[in-house]
Amino acid sequence: MSRLLMNYIDFILARRLWVIIGVVIASFAASSGMAYLTMASDYRVFFGPDNPDLKKWDDYQATFSKNDNVFFVLQYPQGEAFDQAMAVVVEDLTERAWALPNATRVDSISNFQRTLVVDDFLEVEDLIIGASELSPEELRDRSDFAVTEPSLYRAILSEDLRTTGVNIAIELQGNPDTEGRRTAVAAYAMADEIRAKYPDLKIAMNGSMIMNYGFVQSGERDAMTLIPGMYLLMLVLTLVMLRSFSGMIATLITIVFSTTVALGIAGFLGMRMAPIAIIAPNIILTLAIADCIHIISSIQKHLRAGMEKTEAIKEALRKNFTAVFITSVTTAVGFLTLNFSDALPFQYLGNITAFGVLAAWILAVTFVPAFLSYMPLKPATAPREGWLVTFMGRVADFTIYRARGILVTGSVLSVALIALALTNTLDDRFSRYFSEKLQVRQDLDFVSENLRGQDIFEYEIRSGLTGGINNPEYLKTLDNFVTWLRAQPEVDQVSAFSDVIKRLNQNMNGDDRAFYTIPDSPELAAQYLLLYELSLPFGLDLNNQINIDKSSTRLSVIIKDIKIVAQNDFLARVDGWAAANDPEGLIQPPTGISLLFAKLTLRNITEMITGNIIAVVVIGLLMMATLRSVGIGFISVVTNAVPVMITFGLWAIFVGQIGLAAAVIGAASLGIVVDDSVHFLTKYLRGRREKNLNKEDAIRYAFSEVGEAIVFTSIIVCAGFALIAFSTFQVNAQLGLLTAITVIVAMFFDFLVLPAILLLGTTRTQSQKTKGTTNVEPIPAK
Amino acid sequence: MLNQFRQSKRKTLALVAGAFLAVTPLASYAQEDVQKGLEIATRSDVTDNGFGDSTATAQMVLRNAAGQSSSRELVIMTLERNSSKVGDKTISLFSTPADIKGTAVLSHAKITGNDDQWIYLPALKRVKRISSSNKSGPFVGSEFAYEDITAQEVGKFDYRWIKSEKCGGATCEVIERTPNYAKSGYSRQLVWISTKTWQPEQIQFFDRAGNHVKTLTYSGYKQYGKFWRAGKLTMVNLRNGKSTDLIFTDWKFSTGLSDRDFKSSALEDLR
C-alpha cells in the first residue's frame, strides 16, 4: 500500500505538467455540463412521484381543478374596497388579468356573478361594471351585498373591508418551470404597471406561482450573497492559516473546479438546481478548503522542519493521503444517503455535494501537489508554537486526569440533551420557508395580517352517487358542516357548494331571504344548478367546485395563521365532528398544499431513518477498516453520532421549532464531523502501534500532532456552515446552523469524551503514574 | 336602464374599434385574404340555407383528465330564420339525467347582441327568462362554451384566409376568424373548412392571452338531402385535459316546427 502510494506520489511530481494539464482539461470537460442545469421552481419538487400525499392532492385537483394561482392583494392607505378609487382599480386589474400567461379564471369583487331578480327575469352579471360611473350609494349597495356573500367576504374582501384581492387561476401549459416563471414575471410586471397608474396603492403578491418564484428569488439572492461570502471566507482563512499566496491560489483553483465539476456532472445527469440543492456549492467549498489547508499546512510544516520543497510535498502527501481520502469518502457516503429522502432537492443536494467532495479530493492529491511544486512556498512561520500548542497540551492533561469525571458529566449531559431533542416541535409551513428579507415573505405576512391566512384545507364531500350532490340530505350535511366550520375560531373562510344552491333557491323565489335554504327536492336543486351553469361567463364555471358526474363537491377551508400543532388540533376536531354528524361518511380526509408541507418533514424523517442507519453502518465500517480496529471504529461512530443528537437538544433549548432540515442533518453532518476523529484516532493508534506508547501518552501524542489541525478544520467547517445560516431559505439556514453547531460539539467530544472513552478500563493508578511525566510535546518522528 | 346605456356605449365602442380594425388589416393583411376568408365563410353558411327546421338527439359525454366521464342526453330543435340580422331559434330539451328531465332552454339568437333566453324548470313548473350576456360561458359544465354551439352566423366574426391544405381525404380552406362579440372568451379561432362539404372539420380556439386552448373536431359527416351534418363533435381542452363529445343521432328536417313552438309559453308542453 505505502509502496504503491509512494510510486503514485513520485509519478504525480515527475509528470507534474501533464498532471496539471490533464486535470484542467478534465475539469473543464466535466464543468461544461453546467450548461444543462436548470432551476426547478415548483413546490412539487419537494415531493417524490410516489408520495401518497401528493398523489391524493393530484387526484383532488384532477377531480376539480388545478389549484395554481396568482393572487394580487390591494389596499389603499385610506378607504375601503368598495370606495370608487379601489373599485376602479379592481375592475381594471380584473380585465387585465385575463392577459396573464396561462390564466384560466379571474375572480374579484368586480366580476363576481351576482344574480338580480325582477319577477321571472333573472340576470346574472358582474358585481361592479363601470366603477368610475357608479355613485357612492350604488357602491354601498354592492358592498352590503358582498358582506353577505361567503365566497367574497373574508376570502377576497377583508373583514374590515379595507383590503381586497384579485385571484387568477393558472393552468400551466408546457414546461412548468419556464412557464411558471414566465407567469410570475408577467404578474410582477402587471403589478408594476398598476402601481404606476395608481400611486399610493399597496399591492402584495401571493399565490402558488409567486411562492414558486420565491424559490428562484431566494436562490438568486443566496447565490449573490452566500457564494461571494464563501470566497471571502476562503481568502481570509487561507491567508490567516497558511500565510501563503501560493497556497491561496492552489486552494482557490481547487474549490472553483470542485464546485463546477460537481455542478457539471449534475447537469449531465439531468439534475436540476432546486431550493436546498442550491447550497451544495457552499458545502463543497467548505470541505474543499479543509482538504487543501490540511495538505498545504502539512507541506509547510515539513518545509519548516528543513525539508526540500519536493520532499516536503511528497511527505505531506504520504502522511495525509489516507486521512484525506477517508474523510472525503465518509462525507460523500453521508451525503449520498440523502437519496433515501423522496424529496428531490435533498437528493440533488446529496449527490452534488458527494460529487464535489470527491472532485475536491482528486484535485487535492493531483493538482495541488503538482501545482505547488511550481510555486514558491514559504515554510510555516514559527509563532504557531505559542499558546495553541501549549493549550492543547493542557487539554490533553485535563482530559487524562479528569477522564472519569468527563465521562460521567458527558454521559449525563448527553442523555439530558438527547432527551430534550425529542421536545423539538415540527412547524413546517410553506409560508415560513422564506426569510423576512424577501419580498415574497413580506407580501405573505401582509396578506396574513390584512386579509386572511395562507393555509387552506381542501375537503371532498363525496356522495358516491351520480347527481348525488343535489340530494337534500347531502346538501344539509354539507350545510351543517359549513355552519359548524364557520363557528370555529381557527377558520377565516369556508367556501362550499351549499352556499351557491341556497342563494339560487333564494333567487328563484323572488329573492326572498327566507328561501336562503337547501331546496326540498333533488330535481329542484339539479334544475337550479343547470340554470346557473347556463348563465355563467367564461372561466367562472363551477367545474372547480363540482366533479364531472355531480357526485362530489369541493369544500375549502381557509384557516388563520396558526402553528402546525394548532392546525392538527383543529383537524382532529373536524374529524370528531364528522364522526358524530356525518354518518354517511360524505366528508373525505383533507388534502391541499398546506397539508402536503405539514407532513413533509415527518415523512422525510421517516424515510431518512434507513438513510441514517446506512450512513452510520458504512461510515463505521470505513472507520474500522481505516483504523484496523473494530472497537475503536465503533467508538468513533458513537462519539460522532452523539454530537448530532446533542445539537438537536441544544436546538430544543434555544429555538424549539425545527423544520425540514432536521430530516437530513444526521446523515449529512455525520460524514463531516467524523473527519476530526479520523485524524485524532489515526495519530493515537500510530502512537500506540508504531511508538509503543501507553494510552495516556498516545493521547498526548495525538493532541500534539493534530490538536491544532482539528481546531483549524473545525473553525473552517463551522464558519462555512455558519455562513449558510444566512440563507434566505429557512431549510438552508437551519441546515447550516445545525451543522455548524454539530461541528463544534463534535470537536469538544473529540477532545474530551473520545480520549476519556479510550482510557476506559485503564485504572486510576496507571493514569496517575504517567501524569505529568511526558511534557516533551512533539515526539520526534522516526 | 343603466344596463342598456352601458350596452349601447359598448356597441359604439365596438363600432369604433371595428372601423379601426377594418382599416388596419389593409396595412397588415392583404385585402384579398380578408375577402377570400369572408367568401369561404359565406359559402359555408349559404350551403346550409333553407333547411327550414330540424331536430336531433344529442348525447353529451363529459370526460376529465382522470378518465372519468358522465353523460346527459338532450333533444335539440332548430328553426331557421332567413334574416341575416337575427340568428336561428333553438330549443334544448334535456331528457337525462333524470333530475333534469324536461328542463328546456329556448334561445332566440342575435348576431352580436345578447340572445334572448328562457328556461323551463319542471320542478318549479315555471318559465324564467335569463340574461345571456355571457355567451362565453361553458354550456352546462361541458368544454363547449355557449358561443361555440350557437349558430355560427357570418356576421359574428371578421375573417381572413390563411391557407389551403389537405385534411382527411379532402382539401380544407383554413380561415382565421376574430369574434365581433366584446365578451367573447376568445381572441381568435382557426377554422378548417372542407371544400367537399363546405362544413368545418376542425376549429382551434385561442384564449384572450393568445394561447391555443381548445380544439373542436367534427367527424362522421352524413348528408341529409342537401345538408351535411356531423355525427360527432369532440372538444378537447388542451389545458386541463378535459373533453366533451357531442354525438348526434336522429337528424330530421322539415318536421313542421313553427314560430309557435319556439315561444316561451310553449316550453311547458314539451315532452
Side-chain angles (χ1 to χ4, degrees):
Chain A
M1 173 65 200
S2 62
R3 232 194 117 91
L4 202 65
L5 181 59
M6 286 318 292
N7 287 343
Y8 163 78
I9 294 168
D10 288 341
F11 171 81
I12 288 288
L13 288 172
R15 298 266 185 278
R16 54 189 191 166
L17 185 61
W18 291 111
V19 167
I20 293 175
I21 293 172
V23 164
V24 169
I25 290 174
S27 298
F28 270 107
S31 305
S32 67
M34 283 201 292
Y36 302 105
L37 272 187
T38 55
M39 175 81 190
S41 50
D42 184 349
Y43 71 84
R44 299 173 61 91
V45 78
F46 284 98
F47 308 93
D50 301 325
N51 185 311
D53 297 329
L54 182 70
K55 261 193 145 98
K56 213 164 94 182
W57 175 229
D58 281 345
D59 287 346
Y60 189 89
Q61 293 187 90
T63 305
F64 299 107
S65 65
K66 284 253 179 68
N67 220 42
D68 287 325
N69 68 326
V70 172
F71 191 34
F72 289 84
V73 175
L74 312 167
Q75 191 190 63
Y76 265 123
Q78 259 104 45
E80 294 184 352
F82 281 92
D83 287 355
Q84 194 164 49
M86 183 62 98
V88 166
V89 176
V90 172
E91 198 182 6
D92 187 3
L93 179 57
T94 304
E95 194 53 40
R96 284 168 191 244
W98 282 107
L100 212 58
N102 303 300
T104 56
R105 178 186 178 108
V106 181
D107 285 290
S108 72
I109 53 168
S110 81
N111 80 344
F112 177 81
Q113 296 300 298
R114 179 190 193 180
T115 310
L116 296 166
V117 183
V118 185
D119 300 325
D120 273 345
F121 178 51
L122 295 175
E123 187 172 31
V124 182
E125 68 168 24
D126 291 3
L127 185 56
I128 297 175
I129 307 170
S132 58
E133 287 165 26
L134 293 178
S135 68
E137 291 73 35
E138 286 168 320
L139 285 164
R140 175 60 45 207
D141 159 63
R142 282 150 175 82
S143 178
D144 292 345
F145 168 80
V147 172
T148 67
E149 176 48 54
S151 62
L152 296 179
Y153 194 50
R154 295 171 76 185
I156 57 174
L157 175 64
S158 67
E159 198 165 2
D160 62 1
L161 307 181
R162 293 256 302 114
T163 316
T164 187
V166 176
N167 191 56
I168 300 130
I170 300 290
E171 284 193 23
L172 298 177
Q173 266 178 300
N175 181 325
D177 284 337
T178 49
E179 281 302 305
R181 203 163 313 161
R182 190 165 79 92
T183 306
V185 169
Y188 275 108
M190 191 171 285
D192 286 341
E193 281 170 33
I194 295 283
R195 278 189 198 104
K197 190 168 168 192
Y198 306 98
D200 300 335
L201 179 70
K202 160 87 187 173
I203 305 180
M205 306 288 287
N206 217 316
S208 64
M209 287 292 113
I210 301 298
M211 297 286 265
N212 285 344
Y213 193 60
F215 294 137
V216 181
Q217 287 178 320
S218 155
E220 279 170 357
R221 189 164 168 145
D222 283 1
M224 276 184 334
T225 53
L226 297 189
I227 308 256
M230 203 63 224
Y231 277 97
L232 193 70
L233 190 67
M234 186 276 312
L235 212 71
V236 172
L237 287 174
T238 45
L239 287 179
V240 168
M241 291 182 179
L242 301 176
R243 296 173 202 206
S244 154
F245 182 73
S246 303
M248 188 203 73
I249 296 293
T251 310
L252 180 67
I253 295 173
T254 304
I255 63 178
V256 169
F257 276 154
S258 44
T259 347
T260 58
V261 164
L263 292 174
I265 295 173
F268 280 126
L269 293 179
M271 295 182 187
R272 292 180 294 169
M273 280 319 274
I276 302 181
I278 203 121
I279 57 167
N282 276 67
I283 299 180
I284 297 170
L285 289 178
T286 306
L287 301 173
I289 294 172
D291 279 353
C292 290
I293 290 194
H294 250 290
I295 290 183
I296 299 171
S297 66
S298 177
I299 298 173
Q300 288 176 315
K301 260 190 188 170
H302 289 104
L303 283 176
R304 194 181 67 201
M307 276 190 194
E308 182 266 329
K309 197 172 77 179
T310 313
E311 285 312 304
I313 292 174
K314 282 184 179 176
E315 183 60 14
L317 206 53
R318 187 188 72 81
K319 268 188 164 174
N320 289 287
F321 191 88
T322 318
V324 172
F325 173 67
I326 286 299
T327 56
S328 302
V329 170
T330 52
T331 305
V333 165
F335 274 93
L336 284 174
T337 59
L338 297 200
N339 283 298
F340 282 91
S341 158
D342 83 346
L344 280 178
F346 280 142
Q347 297 182 10
Y348 293 159
L349 173 69
N351 293 332
I352 296 174
T353 307
F355 300 152
V357 167
L358 294 178
W361 168 68
I362 292 173
L363 286 161
V365 297
T366 53
F367 172 78
V368 171
F371 177 78
L372 284 179
S373 70
Y374 280 107
M375 301 292 285
L377 203 60
K378 273 186 292 190
T381 35
R384 292 248 193 102
E385 292 292 352
W387 66 273
L388 194 54
V389 173
T390 324
F391 181 71
M392 279 297 132
R394 288 220 190 100
V395 173
D397 285 342
F398 173 80
T399 309
I400 293 164
Y401 187 60
R402 301 270 180 212
R404 269 155 217 277
I406 288 170
L407 263 188
V408 173
T409 323
S411 308
V412 171
L413 268 178
S414 301
V415 169
L417 285 166
I418 292 170
L420 271 175
L422 298 171
T423 66
N424 277 304
T425 52
L426 300 177
D427 194 28
D428 265 309
R429 279 177 286 169
F430 196 30
S431 51
R432 293 293 186 279
Y433 277 15
F434 299 106
S435 134
E436 277 138 2
K437 280 180 259 175
L438 292 175
Q439 186 66 43
V440 57
R441 171 65 187 274
Q442 291 163 11
D443 282 2
L444 277 169
D445 290 346
F446 177 84
V447 176
S448 292
E449 279 159 33
N450 291 280
L451 184 56
R452 59 165 170 79
Q454 314 288 327
D455 292 313
I456 305 178
F457 299 145
E458 308 272 8
Y459 287 90
E460 180 184 346
I461 315 297
R462 192 185 287 166
S463 74
L465 298 166
T466 300
I469 61 165
N470 295 311
N471 284 331
E473 298 76 37
Y474 172 92
L475 288 168
K476 272 175 192 146
T477 304
L478 174 59
D479 193 36
N480 290 339
F481 186 35
V482 171
T483 310
W484 179 81
L485 283 170
R486 289 199 173 121
Q488 303 312 303
E490 296 93 339
V491 172
D492 256 343
Q493 197 256 356
V494 182
S495 65
F497 174 61
S498 51
D499 292 331
V500 175
I501 208 79
K502 279 159 79 180
R503 179 153 310 271
L504 281 167
N505 199 22
Q506 177 185 333
N507 294 152
M508 298 300 282
N509 288 284
D511 233 1
D512 183 349
R513 188 75 192 173
F515 284 89
Y516 190 72
T517 53
I518 301 300
D520 298 329
S521 75
E523 288 78 20
L524 212 48
Q527 289 165 28
Y528 287 166
L529 182 57
L530 184 72
L531 164 72
Y532 188 58
E533 282 185 321
L534 277 168
S535 340
L536 291 171
F538 182 77
L540 293 179
D541 52 84
L542 293 170
N543 287 340
N544 63 338
Q545 281 190 56
I546 300 176
N547 75 340
I548 195 156
D549 65 350
K550 299 195 164 39
S551 63
S552 283
T553 62
R554 169 188 214 148
L555 184 149
S556 307
V557 188
I558 303 176
I559 58 155
K560 296 198 165 78
D561 200 20
I562 51 173
K563 287 183 179 169
I564 295 280
V565 189
Q567 290 184 12
N568 289 338
D569 177 52
F570 167 73
L571 290 169
R573 282 210 322 281
V574 172
D575 288 346
W577 186 91
N581 298 283
D582 175 28
E584 312 268 310
L586 305 176
I587 302 166
Q588 302 300 306
T591 178
I593 298 178
S594 305
L595 278 177
L596 272 179
F597 276 93
K599 290 184 183 175
L600 181 62
T601 300
L602 205 56
R603 179 171 300 285
N604 271 281
I605 288 176
T606 318
E607 283 164 354
M608 281 305 296
I609 289 175
T610 325
N612 282 305
I613 292 173
I614 289 182
V616 168
V617 170
V618 174
I619 291 172
L621 288 174
L622 277 168
M623 297 294 283
M624 289 173 192
T626 313
L627 303 170
R628 283 175 288 138
S629 160
V630 174
I632 289 183
F634 180 76
I635 291 170
S636 74
V637 173
V638 173
T639 51
N640 284 293
V642 172
V644 180
M645 294 189 261
I646 285 180
T647 302
F648 283 117
L650 293 171
W651 191 267
I653 294 172
F654 294 108
V655 186
Q657 271 153 22
I658 205 153
L660 193 50
V664 297
I665 208 74
S669 60
L670 183 63
I672 295 172
V673 295
V674 83
D675 296 359
D676 286 345
S677 313
V678 174
H679 292 297
F680 189 89
L681 289 169
T682 317
K683 297 298 179 309
Y684 169 79
L685 287 174
R686 181 174 293 171
R688 293 281 286 163
R689 289 171 185 155
E690 293 180 17
K691 302 184 192 301
N692 292 320
L693 298 172
N694 65 11
K695 284 183 178 179
E696 287 81 354
D697 288 339
I699 287 168
R700 290 196 179 93
Y701 170 70
F703 264 103
S704 75
E705 279 283 295
V706 291
E708 191 189 36
I710 287 176
V711 173
F712 284 161
T713 330
S714 298
I715 290 173
I716 297 167
V717 177
C718 175
F721 279 92
L723 192 69
I724 299 175
F726 290 98
S727 167
T728 52
F729 196 63
Q730 183 229 44
V731 186
N732 298 349
Q734 287 195 356
L735 198 104
L737 201 53
L738 283 165
T739 311
I741 299 171
T742 308
V743 167
I744 296 303
V745 175
M747 184 181 80
F748 279 102
F749 256 67
D750 283 332
F751 285 156
L752 301 173
V753 180
L754 180 59
I757 294 177
L758 291 174
L759 286 172
L760 216 65
T762 318
T763 61
R764 194 58 176 270
T765 46
Q766 273 176 314
S767 64
Q768 274 174 337
K769 226 185 282 170
T770 47
K771 202 235 159 211
T773 51
T774 42
N775 263 345
V776 203
E777 287 301 332
I779 287 150
K782 274 187 194 165
Chain B
M1 184 59 207
L2 187 72
N3 234 349
Q4 267 162 9
F5 167 72
R6 202 181 59 238
Q7 270 158 18
S8 72
K9 211 179 75 171
R10 252 194 200 161
K11 255 180 206 159
T12 319
L13 258 177
L15 272 178
V16 172
F20 181 72
L21 282 173
V23 177
T24 36
L26 284 174
S28 45
Y29 308 138
Q31 181 60 37
E32 58 213 59
D33 289 348
V34 173
Q35 191 61 39
K36 191 170 174 185
L38 179 64
E39 277 165 17
I40 292 163
T42 311
R43 178 148 188 200
S44 174
D45 191 51
V46 165
T47 53
D48 217 36
N49 276 353
F51 70 86
D53 68 82
S54 68
T55 67
T57 303
Q59 194 196 1
M60 181 182 269
V61 183
L62 314 179
R63 284 194 186 80
N64 66 12
Q68 296 156 325
S69 69
S70 88
S71 80
R72 49 173 69 120
E73 223 166 83
L74 59 158
V75 174
I76 298 175
M77 292 167 255
T78 313
L79 181 70
E80 185 182 19
R81 291 205 285 178
N82 293 324
S83 162
S84 65
K85 295 213 172 60
V86 289
D88 298 340
K89 293 183 178 179
T90 54
I91 292 175
S92 308
L93 173 64
F94 290 86
S95 47
T96 65
D99 55 13
I100 54 168
K101 184 176 164 59
T103 307
V105 184
L106 165 67
S107 307
H108 291 181
K110 308 240 175 85
I111 302 298
T112 48
N114 292 332
D115 295 0
D116 291 325
Q117 272 194 334
W118 293 263
I119 185 167
Y120 172 68
L121 304 181
L124 204 62
K125 296 196 169 57
R126 291 271 281 280
V127 174
K128 298 271 180 187
R129 186 157 78 85
I130 54 179
S131 128
S132 60
S133 58
N134 295 320
K135 282 184 187 174
S136 60
F139 184 67
V140 292
S142 73
E143 293 312 313
F144 286 90
Y146 184 70
E147 62 180 315
D148 303 342
I149 50 169
T150 53
Q152 310 285 301
E153 314 285 349
V154 176
K156 288 183 174 177
F157 303 93
D158 289 327
Y159 301 88
R160 183 166 71 95
W161 176 80
I162 304 285
K163 62 184 173 186
S164 302
E165 67 176 26
K166 286 241 168 235
C167 59
T171 306
C172 276
E173 299 289 356
V174 185
I175 56 173
E176 179 190 71
R177 58 188 196 188
T178 19
N180 284 330
Y181 171 57
K183 282 191 175 176
S184 173
Y186 308 116
S187 57
R188 64 190 184 106
Q189 302 172 3
L190 286 178
V191 191
W192 277 251
I193 293 175
S194 160
T195 53
K196 185 177 144 208
T197 59
W198 292 99
Q199 294 294 312
E201 292 286 325
Q202 178 180 286
I203 304 180
Q204 296 181 349
F205 297 88
F206 295 79
D207 70 5
R208 284 193 253 179
N211 296 317
H212 177 194
V213 284
K214 294 195 298 188
T215 300
L216 172 59
T217 315
Y218 295 75
S219 58
Y221 269 110
K222 274 194 198 149
Q223 204 167 14
Y224 301 85
K226 69 179 262 243
F227 307 111
W228 289 93
R229 287 291 181 271
K232 185 173 169 186
L233 276 62
T234 304
M235 181 72 92
V236 178
N237 189 318
L238 304 174
R239 244 189 202 131
N240 55 26
K242 291 181 181 172
S243 68
T244 303
D245 288 344
L246 261 179
I247 301 157
F248 291 98
T249 45
D250 288 340
W251 278 105
K252 293 195 186 88
F253 292 86
S254 302
T255 57
L257 291 170
S258 71
D259 250 340
R260 246 180 318 145
D261 301 302
F262 290 85
K263 285 201 160 71
S264 61
S265 53
L267 292 177
E268 263 177 83
D269 305 325
L270 291 165
R271 278 295 174 270

